[in-house]
Amino acid sequence: MKLKYLALSVCAATFMSCNSDKPVAADPTLKDILGNKFLVGVAINSEQAVGRDTSGVDVVRRHFNSIVAENCMKSEVIHPEEDRYDFSLADEFVKFGEDNGMFIIGHCLVWHSQLSPWFCVDADGKNVSPEVLKERLRSHIHTIVGRYKGRIKGWDVVNEAIEGDGSYRRSKFYEILGEEYIPLAFQYAHEADPEAELYYNDYGMHEPGRRDAVVRMVNSLKEKGLRIDAVGMQGHMGLDYPSIGEYETSLLAFASTGAKVMITEWDMSALPTVNRGANIADKVAFEKALNPYPEALPDSVSNLWNARMKSFMELFIKHSDVITRVTAWGVSDGDSWKNDWPVPGRREYPLLFDRNYQPKPFLKEILEPKKAVFDEFTYTVAPKDTDKATDQLTTPGTLNPVLPGCYPDPSICRVGNDYYMVNSSFAFYPGVPIWHSTDLTNWEQLGYVLNRPSQLPMYDGLRISGGIYAPDIKYNPHNGLFYLITTAVDGGGNFFVTTDDPKKGSWSDPTFLPEVGGIDPGFLFDEDGKAYIVNNDGPAGKPEYDGHRAIWIREFDWKNGCTVGKQKMIVDGGVDKTRHPIWIEGPHLYHINGTYYLMAAEGGTGPNHSEVIFTSASPFGPFKPCAINPILTQRGLPGDRPNPVTCVGHADLVETPAGDWYAVFLGVRPYRDGHDVMGRETFMLPVTWKENQPIILPEGDVITYTADRSYGPAPLWTANGLAKEAFFIRTPLVPCYSINDKGQLEMTASSTDLNQKRQPAAIGRWINNWTFTAQTGLDFVPQQPKDFAGIICFHDDNCYIRFGKTLDKDGKPVMLLETYSHGRLCSQAGSPLTWTDGKVYLKVEGDNAVNYTFCYSTSPKGSWTQVGEPVSADLISTQTAGGFTGTMVGIYATGNYTN
């Protein structure tokens, strides 16, 4: 089998056949599926260690290959008095692990909590001297580690020593020994068993202060020549913390030290957050509100909990190159330490298995995935006979839009005879489509600039119209690198990436510029070797009216990849501030024939959008508006003009080798009453110069476009992988598909659906014309009514159309067409099927009235059966749905994994 990607929830048979010679398990387990990525661990209690909890023991033996001691090795249990150890429970724990071939973890040697009362004080209750405590530490660690030398493979040596702000916890160990107690503990543990792995373990590791302090501590231990194998990131989570991004940032920071990462003590509270810590000494008064689900979780909470657990498990899979173990802090919900904490009677639901020892839905999605198999998906635009000649146009600026479909905010640069252009991509992944041309008319998509998850971590909750805005591409002749700078709105701010050749498809990881605020940054690499960044941000003082913005500049040190000096505001408001211009943005700075030209969009990106230009003798101003402004707009034209192009602006300029100038800019083609489904597209026009300034289009002139240009049939994938134009909704933590040796795409139906603001199992491309046909074949056997696979037309999480195979409320197969607007089901139509198994063919067609018709067939060349009435594209238009994007058409599969 030719496998392009391997997903978390690929079924066990597929996973094992592709990754080992091990016989396929008939009933897969967690360790079967994930065991070649990292150890799958669980904390066991004494009842399980001695075998009395038989149901728990069965789950542990079946699903896990690593165990950690929950309580039996903590100081108060194993070393209750200075001269007395109690190894009875610890011995049972170790024997259980050995009898079942487990990787055994000891927890924990040094911890301020559950500490034997005598450990740090003398007979009078006063702190012992540093010398006495060092000897007690040495004896304690040597005795325990020495007893299990060669049997326990890894130790949590020090637990929870750092506060959230990065300071050391004021424990008795710290009071007496200061920071020294941590390296001493690691030294003593290594002396006792030189072969054992040694770990530091803490909670709240997503917090920047604690993260940075732990990184410093690990590096310090290594500099001292001490052994530390891994950082344990306790996984005590809640429904509202931490974010995937925060947790991933810390995970990568710890890995950067050279230590491995272990996810320890993983559980996620399903109840209201009371305390984000894990200090069991914390107690609060009982309040009924803190125990809202004494019998069971409501579906809404359960769904949210499972979705977050799934996302984090996928994060762990994604980083299995640095993660060596993932350990749940208990077998089933009934075992959790969070029950009765922090208030008596509180009933929790935080673990992988419920109180009946059944796997939670997210776990079932791993163990029992549902698959949809798609034949080739093709997208076609067939031209009218009268328009076929337009495909032969070769003069730049005569074939518009030059990039049809949702390719907004274009930026362009030229090196020699090669032109490169990029566009915004919002919350879709990969990010920033990049195009190449040698004639400014024929453009080939090279792929995407941000084509690795490390470059574009857009995770749960990001709005579709967030993400990547207004990239700017420029070439720096002083070092031979191409630079792309852009904004991750709602996701990190402004950053840049570089490459020596855009055709290679390999750009650097982002360098963020937190000092550059606002949006829409752009570069100028000047003739004298200096460089500048211009960007949109708020004005210097308090905004004087809604939409009052400004353009700022600062110098960029390209040799060191950072900004230098102070920023300066160079445009306040716009061309004429007395008229309260709004949303001056998308700035580009040019140095042409000794003059600096600052070009920017003004008026907002709706129908009043325009492009304006300023000049100065210096990059730092003062900039004065040119005599002719705006230099591009379609505002003020009759609303009933035929075939309108609206919202034009957000332009960039490029000069040809012959000295001609052209502008690329965004525009919208509404089809009726301002409705559009393709979003903002890229147009191009020649630039003329008048009174020493560029003019893209005289005010009042009308922009025209070329309709019904042929396109395709374009496959969404081939046997070699996805097409260059294909994309996902947000950044998948792990891919959800593979391509088999027949060229079929096998997609794992995700529990994440289209309306959840996460990463559904969906792959698509932009619709680039009102008339089109998209078609595929589907082999999918739904098992429950919410299992669904088929075709989607997607605007955002709240406005979309889905058409596919599912089961009706009686459990019978049906082809179902559903439309959603603003999060509500608007219409539904079904066509019963007489069979459950077998392939079905699906098709969506757009017509000149911009209605979408959905049909199915039992043969790709057979007769088609229409389901429901044609759906008006108005439902998913920008006018209805809002936002900045066009319409994605593609495939999708979702599954119901509830018990």
Side-chain angles (χ1 to χ4, degrees):
M1 173 179 286
K2 183 173 182 179
L3 196 63
K4 181 67 177 177
Y5 292 102
L6 184 63
L8 159 67
S9 50
V10 172
C11 71
T14 301
F15 184 97
M16 295 169 68
S17 67
C18 293
N19 289 276
S20 74
D21 296 325
K22 186 177 178 180
V24 174
D27 193 3
T29 69
L30 272 178
K31 62 185 179 184
D32 290 333
I33 296 175
L34 302 178
N36 72 336
K37 294 188 174 292
F38 40 65
L39 290 169
V40 184
V42 64
I44 66 171
N45 58 36
S46 298
E47 292 292 297
Q48 291 150 356
V50 301
R52 284 194 288 267
D53 178 5
T54 56
S55 295
V57 168
D58 288 344
V59 170
V60 173
R61 287 173 173 163
R62 176 169 171 71
H63 287 285
F64 299 94
N65 54 19
S66 174
I67 57 170
V68 62
E70 184 182 35
N71 285 308
C72 67
M73 288 188 167
K74 290 171 181 172
S75 171
E76 65 180 6
V77 177
I78 202 169
H79 197 179
E81 298 175 6
E82 184 170 8
D83 298 322
R84 181 170 70 88
Y85 289 86
D86 184 351
F87 293 110
S88 57
L89 294 177
D91 286 348
E92 292 283 0
F93 161 77
V94 174
K95 183 177 184 301
F96 178 93
E98 290 177 330
D99 289 347
N100 291 283
M102 304 279 190
F103 189 97
I104 306 171
I105 308 294
H107 176 81
C108 51
L109 295 174
V110 181
W111 188 29
H112 67 277
S113 192
Q114 292 183 265
L115 178 67
S116 292
W118 62 269
F119 207 105
C120 296
V121 297
D122 59 22
D124 297 324
K126 296 180 180 179
N127 288 351
V128 296
S129 67
E131 291 72 21
V132 170
L133 185 55
K134 287 180 185 179
E135 176 54 29
R136 288 182 177 181
L137 269 177
R138 189 201 64 79
S139 177
H140 176 80
I141 293 172
H142 272 241
T143 301
I144 297 173
V145 176
R147 181 179 182 87
Y148 300 110
K149 181 178 180 180
R151 302 171 70 193
I152 287 183
K153 304 301 183 182
W155 289 92
D156 290 331
V157 178
V158 177
N159 203 43
E160 301 174 8
I162 306 294
E163 298 281 13
D165 62 2
S167 62
Y168 280 85
R169 184 182 296 279
R170 264 50 181 176
S171 66
K172 287 288 186 182
F173 297 111
Y174 185 83
E175 286 180 15
I176 299 170
L177 294 175
E179 301 173 19
E180 184 185 10
Y181 85 91
I182 297 175
L184 284 174
F186 279 89
Q187 174 189 325
Y188 297 151
H190 184 59
E191 291 170 354
D193 186 352
E195 301 302 318
E197 293 183 353
L198 307 180
Y199 321 130
Y200 175 76
N201 188 53
D202 213 330
Y203 67 86
M205 296 285 260
H206 62 283
E207 298 175 2
R210 183 175 281 119
R211 173 183 66 227
D212 296 345
V214 171
V215 167
R216 290 193 297 270
M217 181 185 70
V218 171
N219 287 331
S220 176
L221 291 173
K222 286 179 171 289
E223 290 168 3
K224 291 180 170 67
L226 295 170
R227 177 170 187 168
I228 177 166
D229 295 277
V231 174
M233 296 181 68
Q234 292 182 24
H236 299 300
M237 302 172 177
L239 292 179
D240 55 349
Y241 76 96
S243 73
I244 291 281
E246 290 171 336
Y247 205 83
E248 183 176 39
T249 296
S250 290
L251 190 159
L252 294 173
F254 299 140
S256 71
T257 67
K260 292 296 184 179
V261 177
M262 293 180 169
I263 310 303
T264 63
E265 307 188 28
W266 189 28
D267 54 29
M268 182 179 293
S269 174
L271 306 186
T273 298
V274 178
N275 187 313
R276 293 189 176 184
N279 188 335
I280 66 170
D282 292 343
K283 296 290 183 181
V284 298
F286 175 78
E287 295 180 24
K288 187 176 180 180
L290 300 181
N291 188 32
Y293 316 120
E295 301 299 329
L297 288 181
D299 289 345
S300 59
V301 178
S302 177
N303 291 341
L304 176 59
W305 184 93
N306 278 281
R308 273 181 59 79
M309 288 291 279
K310 175 191 173 187
S311 292
F312 275 98
M313 180 63 91
E314 289 179 340
L315 179 71
F316 306 154
I317 294 288
K318 173 185 173 183
H319 292 294
S320 58
D321 58 328
V322 297
I323 293 176
T324 59
R325 174 169 58 97
V326 175
T327 293
W329 202 242
V331 178
S332 72
D333 285 343
D335 301 322
S336 175
W337 65 280
K338 289 191 170 185
N339 290 305
D340 298 313
W341 185 90
V343 292
R346 188 159 144 120
R347 184 180 175 93
E348 259 285 16
Y349 308 85
L351 292 171
L352 282 62
F353 293 84
D354 64 23
R355 282 174 169 78
N356 295 318
Y357 299 95
Q358 296 302 305
K360 301 283 184 72
F362 91 96
L363 210 55
K364 289 183 68 177
E365 189 170 352
I366 298 172
L367 298 172
E368 304 168 16
K370 304 174 182 183
K371 291 203 302 181
V373 181
F374 291 89
D375 285 353
E376 181 183 60
F377 179 100
T378 57
Y379 175 88
T380 307
V381 175
K384 298 177 183 177
D385 292 340
T386 56
D387 289 326
K388 285 185 178 179
T390 62
D391 290 345
Q392 308 304 316
L393 294 175
T394 58
T395 303
T398 59
L399 190 63
N400 269 314
V402 67
L403 298 181
C406 184
Y407 298 107
D409 308 325
S411 176
I412 190 170
C413 73
R414 177 183 64 84
V415 177
N417 292 317
D418 293 300
Y419 298 89
Y420 299 97
M421 187 154 56
V422 293
N423 307 95
S424 297
S425 52
F426 305 110
F428 297 96
Y429 173 87
V432 186
I434 181 167
W435 310 77
H436 172 255
S437 177
T438 56
D439 61 8
L440 289 177
T441 299
N442 299 288
W443 291 88
E444 176 192 7
Q445 186 170 354
L446 299 176
Y448 293 87
V449 172
L450 306 176
N451 57 17
R452 302 188 304 276
S454 63
Q455 296 172 304
L456 192 60
M458 297 187 300
Y459 298 143
D460 299 353
L462 181 70
R463 60 195 172 103
I464 289 296
S465 288
I468 297 299
Y469 280 24
D472 174 73
I473 186 170
K474 292 294 178 285
Y475 177 70
N476 182 3
H478 307 295
N479 63 2
L481 291 180
F482 291 82
Y483 285 72
L484 182 135
I485 188 169
T486 187
T487 311
V489 176
D490 305 336
N494 293 306
F495 67 89
F496 71 89
V497 293
T498 63
T499 186
D500 62 351
D501 184 358
K503 296 175 185 175
K504 293 179 180 178
S506 179
W507 293 70
S508 68
D509 277 344
T511 297
F512 279 88
L513 301 167
E515 67 279 11
V516 179
I519 59 173
D520 298 1
F523 277 124
L524 169 65
F525 294 98
D526 212 348
E527 301 161 0
D528 60 1
K530 291 186 176 181
Y532 307 93
I533 294 174
V534 288
N535 64 284
N536 154 294
D537 206 347
K542 183 179 179 181
E544 299 174 23
Y545 52 88
D546 289 343
H548 180 193
R549 304 290 285 177
I551 302 299
W552 296 77
I553 191 171
R554 64 171 73 230
E555 192 171 345
F556 177 70
D557 177 2
W558 53 264
K559 293 180 180 179
N560 295 297
C562 61
T563 61
V564 292
K566 295 182 178 181
Q567 66 173 349
K568 181 182 179 182
M569 185 172 68
I570 52 177
V571 172
D572 183 9
V575 170
D576 184 355
K577 187 179 176 183
T578 65
R579 303 181 68 175
H580 290 181
I582 63 170
W583 288 103
I584 189 79
E585 60 186 359
H588 293 286
L589 184 62
Y590 312 93
H591 192 182
I592 304 171
N593 297 329
T595 298
Y596 289 92
Y597 292 86
L598 177 68
M599 189 171 72
E602 187 184 282
T605 51
N608 290 323
H609 205 197
S610 67
E611 196 74 12
V612 295
I613 198 159
F614 308 77
T615 61
S616 175
S618 164
F620 284 94
F623 279 90
K624 296 181 179 180
C626 290
I628 302 171
N629 267 308
I631 60 172
L632 171 68
T633 190
Q634 292 288 272
R635 70 188 177 205
L637 297 177
D640 58 353
R641 67 189 185 277
N643 303 322
V645 176
T646 65
C647 309
V648 299
H650 217 111
D652 197 7
L653 303 178
V654 68
E655 184 182 17
T656 70
D660 298 320
W661 286 84
Y662 288 87
V664 291
F665 54 92
L666 69 80
V668 172
R669 289 185 287 165
Y671 56 88
R672 180 177 58 249
D673 300 329
H675 289 281
D676 72 89
V677 288
M678 290 172 286
R680 300 163 181 180
E681 305 174 280
T682 291
F683 289 73
M684 177 182 292
L685 286 176
V687 173
T688 59
W689 288 79
K690 185 176 182 180
E691 300 180 16
N692 294 319
Q693 70 159 96
I695 299 172
I696 301 171
L697 188 72
E699 190 168 7
D701 283 8
V702 176
I703 298 174
T704 60
Y705 61 83
T706 307
D708 292 322
R709 290 152 54 188
S710 62
Y711 186 89
L716 193 58
W717 65 85
T718 67
N720 296 319
L722 295 181
K724 291 180 179 179
E725 62 266 32
F727 55 81
F728 302 86
I729 300 171
R730 302 183 184 87
T731 308
L733 287 159
V734 293
C736 60
Y737 75 97
S738 62
I739 298 174
N740 64 28
D741 52 8
K742 297 178 181 179
Q744 297 170 311
L745 188 143
E746 300 179 2
M747 177 176 282
T748 299
S750 172
S751 58
T752 299
D753 212 341
L754 294 170
N755 60 355
Q756 293 180 296
K757 294 188 178 180
R758 298 181 185 274
Q759 299 86 17
I763 306 171
R765 53 153 299 126
W766 292 120
I767 288 174
N768 62 9
N769 202 71
W770 300 314
T771 62
F772 70 92
T773 301
Q775 180 175 332
T776 189
L778 169 68
D779 191 351
F780 177 63
V781 181
Q783 300 167 30
Q784 299 185 63
K786 291 185 180 180
D787 295 344
F788 194 113
I791 286 177
I792 57 169
C793 294
F794 179 89
H795 178 88
D796 63 21
D797 307 286
N798 296 312
C799 294
Y800 55 88
I801 306 167
R802 67 175 192 168
F803 174 58
K805 187 177 180 183
T806 185
L807 298 180
D808 64 19
K809 62 182 180 180
D810 298 319
K812 296 180 180 179
V814 62
M815 295 301 297
L816 187 65
L817 172 64
E818 292 184 332
T819 66
Y820 291 82
S821 182
H822 297 286
R824 295 182 296 179
L825 178 65
C826 292
S827 66
Q828 188 178 68
S831 179
L833 297 173
T834 58
W835 73 98
T836 302
D837 298 343
K839 189 174 295 184
V840 63
Y841 294 86
L842 299 86
K843 178 172 68 173
V844 53
E845 291 182 303
D847 61 23
N848 283 322
V850 199
N851 293 322
Y852 298 153
T853 301
F854 296 85
C855 303
Y856 73 95
S857 174
T858 58
S859 168
K861 296 183 179 180
S863 60
W864 293 89
T865 300
Q866 180 175 321
V867 177
E869 297 297 320
V871 179
S872 171
D874 291 5
L875 180 93
I876 51 175
S877 70
T878 305
Q879 180 95 340
T880 300
F884 304 145
T885 72
T887 300
M888 166 192 181
V889 62
I891 59 170
Y892 131 96
T894 187
N896 180 7
Y897 294 95
T898 57
N899 292 323

